[in-house]
Amino acid sequence: MLKLATILDNPGEPTAKTRYRDPKLLKQLGYNGLVLYETTGLSGLRGPDSVQSGEIRRWISKQYDHVQTNVQQANQAGLEVYLTYDVLSLARDIVDKSPNRFVCKNRPGTLCPASEATLENSVDALDHLIQTFRSVAGIVLRFGDNDAGRLPYLVGNDLYAPHCPRCSQLGRADRIISVLTRFYDLIVKKYDKRLIARAWNLRPNGMHDSVELCERIRDRLPGDETDDRFVLSFKYTQTDFWRYQPWNQASLCFGQRPIIYELQCQREFEGKGGVPNWQVPIWRDGDPAIEDETQRGGLAKVSSRINFGGLWAWVRGGGWGGPFVANEDWIDANVYAVPQLAETPGIKPAKLAEQWVDQRVGVPKTKTKQAICQVLQASVQFIQDGFYIGPYARSKTDAWHPNADWIQDDLIDAQAAWRMIQQLSFDKLEQIYIEKTRSVALVNQVRTNLYRQINEANRSRLEPMHNSLMYTESLYGTLSELLQGMVAFRQYRRTKDPALAEKARHRLLSAQSHWNHHSQRHANLAGTATAFRESGFWDLTQRLLGEITP
């Protein structure tokens, strides 16, 4: 049973300060494997000499040394190590010497999946990587997304995007099978290591979210389907790590092929760990926002329908920005739970919550433990109410972007929220009042209960947790007042009722006040995350106020 952990450090960003860089801690928590995301930036290279620039070559050399250290430390702690690798990716200097061999016709920055030279060089580069780090247990292969474009010394793109006279005849299934077969021959046949193929695709209708495509490639995959040296990895969500997500139906198409699920402990669209966000009830029983129980899924049911190979936790990382947490406690609750959920998919979330408080928080009093567990339990609802606009998400015909990207990482896009509200029918606007009011009330309730348990003996342990709830409450207060102000404004535009104009004015001014408290005060409390940022917040609220102010 695979119980994998990874930290995603994004190129160009400061590395997160986290306890999970210690492989001994991961082993203690029950993980048995470490996925090194750092080697994504080494995809397509045959060592530092693949790059001509001396400065970049020296930087790449340090990356190899860094990976070597991490591999050794993880192995010493008793963890297997897996290296991430992106296809299609090649060194820019190699491509520039003979671009016609590697790239799509008339698209000089796009590697062509029909190019034999591209595929051969990509396989050869991975061969070099495996020989450099011979003790690794296997490779995590990604082909539906690519980070090469963020690095100046690489050229790369996902497998689905290219379309030129040479590759236009290659359909999605052919592209996937061609790549997986070549890398299977290298990783499994030649080196007897494990290939974990990530089904993830950045855009719709790839292997990750298309049942139709998976059914077409199922019988064409290389190797015996029960061989655990070839594993398929899916995010448990149908699309990305949002709410309003059916269980990944594409993952259920592969018979006895081993399947693992990816879980994000620090949800990038839901506060990045700065806001309590207990994921275990969703992992176990599926997303409660999905009304159709047959689509909701959950490991307690799904694990018996597949050849369940384990879980892969993104213990930190995901997304491309803040908020950046100073205290990992709420993230740790999810990290703690993953290995145990892998072993016992039907374990009760309440039991795991209590175990986490006993073993990782260490507060002796029963009432204090209950107060912390109540925060975890309530977060399932207040995350859904706070970070999404339910009527909009439920009205969508597909699962992609249920929040219309009005919140990404730490950025609140007020204009995107306003567009969503304008699209809703008037009979659904009242639902926004209900969910936003409920989100603030739930956070206030659990925050107050936790505050009552703080004393001098436990203050240093509990105060940062309480402060994070103060941070959450001020953020949710902003979002609630902003959206309720928008709703009242839209209703006023239709009815011209002066009472609605006054309600909109009051809510929008209150949103501005809450925003100042969140960004200037509550985000500076000990243990809290960095403040959220805004896009269009002030311009929009001032414009709406200008239309209703006498």
Side-chain angles (χ1 to χ4, degrees):
M1 182 67 65
L2 293 174
K3 291 167 280 188
L4 307 179
T6 195
I7 298 171
L8 279 78
D9 288 321
N10 294 320
E13 287 188 358
T15 57
K17 294 181 180 179
T18 172
R19 69 188 85 175
Y20 308 120
R21 294 195 190 278
D22 181 1
K24 295 189 292 295
L25 172 60
L26 295 175
K27 180 68 175 179
Q28 177 188 338
L29 288 171
Y31 292 90
N32 56 22
L34 179 66
V35 179
L36 291 182
Y37 181 72
E38 295 92 317
T39 52
T40 300
L42 304 180
S43 303
L45 301 181
R46 293 191 185 90
D49 291 339
S50 300
V51 177
Q52 294 180 4
S53 167
E55 182 179 351
I56 295 178
R57 188 164 60 245
R58 286 188 292 274
W59 183 86
I60 293 172
S61 181
K62 290 181 180 179
Q63 300 310 301
Y64 278 95
D65 293 341
H66 172 69
V67 170
Q68 190 68 264
T69 298
N70 284 343
V71 170
Q72 291 173 352
Q73 290 177 347
N75 287 160
Q76 290 170 2
L79 297 178
E80 293 184 335
V81 176
Y82 296 84
L83 307 181
T84 55
Y85 194 83
D86 272 2
V87 181
L88 304 160
S89 295
L90 289 177
R92 182 172 296 277
D93 288 340
I94 292 175
V95 174
D96 287 347
K97 288 178 181 178
S98 184
N100 290 336
R101 296 180 61 211
F102 302 108
V103 303
C104 282
K105 295 183 182 300
N106 303 319
R107 297 183 67 180
T110 304
L111 296 176
C112 184
S115 163
E116 284 297 316
T118 293
L119 294 175
E120 288 175 6
N121 276 266
S122 186
V123 171
D124 288 346
L126 179 57
D127 196 334
H128 178 276
L129 194 68
I130 294 174
Q131 291 185 47
T132 303
F133 306 108
R134 289 185 175 274
S135 68
V136 300
I139 301 297
V140 174
L141 192 73
R142 181 171 69 165
F143 50 84
D145 194 359
N146 198 293
D147 285 339
R150 306 179 190 276
L151 299 166
Y153 56 87
L154 290 179
V155 176
N157 45 269
D158 73 59
L159 194 64
Y160 301 106
H163 187 81
C164 74
R166 179 163 51 177
C167 66
S168 61
Q169 302 305 310
L170 279 178
R172 293 171 297 160
D174 291 333
R175 295 178 185 212
I176 293 167
I177 295 302
S178 173
V179 163
L180 290 181
T181 300
R182 288 171 183 266
F183 283 91
Y184 176 89
D185 289 345
L186 173 72
I187 298 164
V188 179
K189 285 187 175 180
K190 179 176 179 179
Y191 286 109
D192 191 26
K193 296 182 183 295
R194 180 176 284 128
L195 165 59
I196 300 176
R198 288 197 68 201
W200 169 245
N201 40 266
L202 192 60
R203 287 171 290 274
N205 297 316
M207 182 178 171
H208 189 267
D209 67 318
S210 173
V211 171
E212 176 270 334
L213 177 59
C214 289
E215 289 176 341
R216 285 197 287 123
I217 68 174
R218 169 184 166 174
D219 295 332
R220 298 175 61 189
L221 292 172
D224 184 89
E225 72 171 21
T226 61
D227 187 349
D228 70 357
R229 293 177 301 169
F230 182 23
V231 178
L232 301 179
S233 178
F234 291 82
K235 294 181 181 181
Y236 78 93
T237 46
Q238 181 178 331
T239 63
D240 211 341
F241 290 121
W242 291 295
R243 300 295 173 95
Y244 294 92
Q245 292 292 298
W247 193 267
N248 193 306
Q249 299 299 301
S251 70
L252 309 180
C253 297
F254 290 94
Q256 288 304 301
R257 185 76 59 180
I259 303 292
I260 64 172
Y261 287 110
E262 301 173 32
L263 313 174
Q264 191 178 45
C265 299
Q266 177 190 313
R267 298 269 286 211
E268 64 197 84
F269 300 103
E270 299 172 359
K272 297 288 282 287
V275 174
N277 193 350
W278 179 231
Q279 291 291 299
V280 174
I282 298 174
W283 296 339
R284 181 191 183 275
D285 298 314
D287 188 344
I290 300 300
E291 296 177 355
D292 185 346
E293 291 189 8
T294 63
Q295 296 289 306
R296 188 182 301 161
L299 285 169
K301 294 181 179 178
V302 168
S303 59
S304 63
R305 296 177 56 189
I306 60 173
N307 183 357
F308 180 50
L311 297 175
W312 172 11
W314 300 19
V315 294
R316 287 294 305 272
W320 291 90
F324 301 105
V325 299
N327 185 297
E328 292 182 307
D329 276 340
W330 302 123
I331 300 170
D332 191 65
N334 293 323
V335 175
Y336 169 85
V338 172
Q340 299 188 60
L341 199 59
E343 289 293 340
T344 312
I347 192 170
K348 298 293 186 183
K351 179 179 179 180
L352 279 177
E354 291 180 1
Q355 288 179 359
W356 173 70
V357 176
D358 287 338
Q359 298 179 29
R360 303 287 290 165
V361 182
V363 289
K365 291 187 177 181
T366 301
K367 286 186 177 181
T368 305
K369 179 165 69 173
Q370 289 174 345
I372 295 172
C373 290
Q374 286 170 0
V375 174
L376 296 178
Q377 181 180 359
S379 72
V380 178
Q381 184 67 55
F382 69 60
I383 289 290
Q384 179 179 313
D385 287 340
F387 283 103
Y388 296 85
I389 296 177
Y392 176 85
R394 286 189 290 271
S395 70
K396 285 180 59 62
T397 57
D398 63 77
W400 288 87
H401 302 279
N403 69 354
D405 299 330
W406 82 293
I407 295 179
Q408 294 191 79
D409 297 320
D410 59 351
L411 184 65
I412 298 171
D413 186 338
Q415 295 285 356
W418 177 229
R419 286 193 294 271
M420 276 192 282
I421 288 174
Q422 289 178 299
Q423 292 176 30
L424 293 174
S425 60
F426 279 90
D427 63 314
K428 293 181 178 179
L429 295 178
E430 189 66 27
Q431 297 174 36
I432 299 176
Y433 285 122
I434 294 171
E435 72 178 11
K436 299 311 166 196
T437 301
R438 182 171 57 205
S439 71
V440 177
L442 271 173
V443 175
N444 176 267
Q445 178 184 343
V446 295
R447 181 189 64 77
T448 302
N449 289 342
L450 183 61
Y451 180 76
R452 291 179 181 141
Q453 302 305 316
I454 298 177
N455 55 47
E456 289 307 312
N458 64 25
R459 183 173 301 277
S460 63
R461 192 71 186 87
L462 295 189
E463 193 166 60
M465 301 174 82
H466 174 262
N467 286 347
S468 73
L469 289 166
M470 291 279 288
Y471 170 101
T472 304
E473 193 172 346
S474 72
L475 173 65
Y476 276 17
T478 303
L479 301 181
S480 177
E481 296 297 285
L482 174 65
L483 292 171
Q484 291 189 53
M486 290 176 177
V487 167
F489 180 85
R490 185 169 178 227
Q491 292 170 327
Y492 162 73
R493 267 188 172 175
R494 185 189 196 192
T495 65
K496 301 302 180 183
D497 182 348
L500 287 171
E502 178 57 27
K503 183 177 182 179
R505 190 184 71 84
H506 172 75
R507 294 292 190 188
L508 293 171
L509 288 173
S510 180
Q512 292 180 342
S513 176
H514 274 83
W515 182 258
N516 286 331
H517 279 282
H518 169 74
S519 58
Q520 298 176 23
R521 179 186 175 192
H522 292 121
N524 293 316
L525 296 173
T528 59
T530 55
F532 272 69
R533 300 173 296 126
E534 55 83 17
S535 173
F537 174 87
W538 292 102
D539 289 344
L540 179 62
T541 53
Q542 285 300 112
R543 178 168 62 81
L544 299 185
L545 285 167
E547 291 190 34
I548 55 179
T549 300

